[in-house]
Amino acid sequence: MDSKADAQHMEKIVSLCKRRGFIFQSSEIYGGLNGAWDYGPLGVELKRNLKNYWWRVMVHERDDVVGMDGSILTHPAVLKASGHVEGFSDPMIDCRSCKAHLRLDQLIEKKGVKQCPNCGGKDLTEARPFNLMFETHVGAAADESSIAYLRPETAQSIFVQFKNILEVSRKKLPFGIAQVGKAFRNEINPRNFTFRSREFEQMELEYFCRAEEGMKSLDYWLEERLKFYENIGILRDKLHARKVPDEERAFYSKGTYDIEYDFPFGRQELEGVAYRTDYDLQQHMKASGKSLEYFDEETKQRFVPHVVEPSAGVDRTVLALICEAYSEDEAPDEKGKMEKRVVLRFHPRIAPIKCAVFPLLKNKEQLVAKAKEIVDLLGPHMFVFYDESGTIGRRYRRQDEIGTPFGVTVDFETLGEKDAALGETVTLRERDSMKQERVAINDLPGILRSRIS
């Protein structure tokens, strides 16, 4: 696609997200809050499915990772020790012509001259540091002693709780601590829909190891994370592992990869996989005066572990899933005439609704009753949607557009009216191929579970 086609493609995705209840602008009726988004009924299911699958893969299916959930409010001493209070900033520039606040890397260059991307103005201020953290006050007094911060990342709560979790989990190196939670950054210029927001969620793992295992762990986790994205339906050829050059890496990192995805607005980072060495634990040891060392019972050595950090953005990944799933093709209508079909081709394990159940006619009491029995049968195993409104073709299209992978239609054959041998069977329709097959009602839970997992 060219840039114009990409922009139109993105506009369709944003429109679909609002129209079908995936994502809304926060506080929209009051003009909206820039850089904040609310997830609607379908969006919250998609987001929850992503987080649950990440937790399953990273924690439940491994014996070397445990979880935690740290507080959002953060003691200033924690972020001072980590370097965020002094150094967590972006270079900001103002355009004097249109009054826009811009990150330095947003400027465009024409004939060697930096210009504002909004108005083309060249009257720009000098770059100055802008701290990205949100400051707040804890308690009744609002003075310097009550300052706290909304955490800019989930990692620091893992580091400061390292010793407690090590003692209660009784894990040996290498092992990891995982966390999914909110983080906050006062972005100078939020943009590209939900991609860059001021409030977002992270799925983060701190994997602790010996120093000599650091680079090997970095490569291991890069490959594990690439597999994860493939397993939720993002094609490998849309993913790119970029090795971050020395001059761009954090000073404490010995190696970093950015996992990038080809969004309609360009190739952008989904996740960072960084070898952070022992920097964070050492910093918190010095600042707190408390030992965060690991004791190796076999060698009787005490040392500060190194850490590899795969850190993924929940909201960015949700956006990538929607962009990857969005598709347009043609399908026959009720009269056999071909018409455009919008489809979200979500992987079944990520799709917000797994199966929709339709009675062929809503005014046929036996069909409706049987359809509701099937909803009750499937409900304990997956999220099911019941729909009796409109023609069956319209109902299929609605479910295709929100990414429901399977549809079950209860018809007169189900009641055994035309052929007794087909009694207690239904039509099972697959979203992508639109293929239909006849299956027994009692077999539905097993068939669908095997295709969704």
Side-chain angles (χ1 to χ4, degrees), residues 214-215 217-219 221-222 240-260 269 271-277 307-311:
M215 293 306 292
S217 291
L218 176 66
D219 292 336
W221 280 110
L222 173 65
H240 309 275
R242 174 180 174 263
K243 189 172 184 179
V244 179
D246 294 350
E247 62 272 15
E248 293 182 27
R249 281 202 323 262
F251 68 90
Y252 51 77
S253 170
K254 275 195 173 181
T256 300
Y257 290 98
D258 285 345
I259 298 176
E260 299 175 328
E269 179 189 349
E271 173 167 353
V273 185
Y275 175 22
R276 297 178 70 131
T277 66
V307 65
V308 172
E309 177 194 79
S311 178

Side-chain angles (χ1 to χ4, degrees), residues 434-453:
M434 295 181 282
K435 178 184 175 184
Q436 299 186 12
E437 58 184 307
R438 203 79 197 172
V439 301
I441 292 173
N442 289 338
D443 294 338
L444 268 176
I447 291 172
L448 291 174
R449 281 202 307 269
S450 68
R451 298 181 186 181
I452 289 168
S453 64

